[in-house]
Amino acid sequence: MNVHGIQRLMSSFIVMVLVGSLFLSCKSNDDNDDPTPTSNQSIDPVVGTFKGTIRIATQDYYDAIVVVSKVDASHIKVQPKSGEVYSVATPKVLSAVNPVGVGVGGNDPEGSVNYLISTKALQISTKKTAATDVEFYYEGTKQ
């Protein structure tokens, strides 16, 4: 599967997760319901160090480390560990939301991110937005 196919698959998956989370967030309005809002949760769960597989062009690098840091309430920076063969991949700042508290996701012109809190599984797909960019696809688990 080429990078564009993976990006389409990631985008479709993110849309499915977000639509599914909307259905999960709908519930009856009883007096016994928890009054805590379930929308606009923090994106902090995705922040950290991840270990997994990074694909650059057609080359896979195993046990690759990616660091995710918080830029602001709705953006994260994804960056491969420096000093490694795969660190040629371009770090990106991506949009991120946590609509119902089960995962962090986002999709914008820089790429897409999907993090499932329960399994600590992360998927990142970046897009080339400059001539010198090296795009990558990453799947890993929070360490």
Side-chain angles (χ1 to χ4, degrees), residues 47-61:
V47 173
T49 302
F50 294 81
K51 186 175 185 179
T53 303
I54 191 169
R55 173 172 281 178
I56 300 172
T58 59
Q59 179 67 48
D60 288 340
Y61 300 94

Side-chain angles (χ1 to χ4, degrees), residues 72-86:
D72 59 33
S74 61
H75 293 89
I76 58 170
K77 181 176 183 179
V78 296
Q79 183 170 2
K81 181 180 177 186
S82 63
E84 301 293 334
V85 175
Y86 53 83

Side-chain angles (χ1 to χ4, degrees), residues 97-116:
V97 295
N98 183 356
V100 294
V102 296
V104 177
N107 191 6
D108 63 29
E110 297 291 318
S112 60
V113 60
N114 184 39
Y115 176 68
L116 189 57

